Amino acid sequence: MVAGVFSGWRRLIAFRESRLSETRLREQLFAHIMSLHVGYHDHAQTGQLMSRSSSDLLQIQSFIVMIPSRRRTWRW
């Protein structure tokens, strides 16, 4: 039972951290995109930019969530 509580606690922290990291990265990405020259936005395909940024952020979030569960399988 104790192991189940700690497992749930670990997952809660992992999901919280992944969401916070995702939020910070989205804010930084948005600030960067807004700081680009207006001419860049004339040539860039908005759909492709949004798709790539969403996909990349999802992969980063998935990686952050999986770190605690993989850590316990490491043996020294």
Side-chain angles (χ1 to χ4, degrees):
M1 178 157 169
V2 174
V5 170
F6 282 115
S7 177
W9 180 69
R10 184 183 68 219
R11 288 178 54 100
L12 176 70
I13 290 174
F15 281 113
R16 185 189 69 188
E17 289 302 316
S18 72
R19 288 293 180 192
L20 290 174
S21 298
E22 179 185 9
T23 300
R24 285 191 298 263
L25 287 171
R26 284 187 189 276
E27 289 172 352
Q28 290 175 357
L29 179 63
F30 181 75
H32 176 71
I33 290 172
M34 295 305 292
S35 70
L36 294 173
H37 189 270
V38 175
Y40 171 80
H41 297 288
D42 290 338
H43 298 289
Q45 296 177 350
T46 305
Q48 183 181 12
L49 182 62
M50 295 303 296
S51 175
R52 289 185 64 194
S53 63
S54 293
S55 173
D56 291 349
L57 287 171
L58 182 63
Q59 288 179 353
I60 291 169
Q61 179 190 12
S62 297
F63 174 74
I64 292 171
V65 168
M66 296 310 271
I67 288 173
S69 64
R70 290 184 181 174
R71 186 173 157 217
R72 70 179 213 173
T73 60
W74 295 341
R75 305 259 179 200
W76 296 96

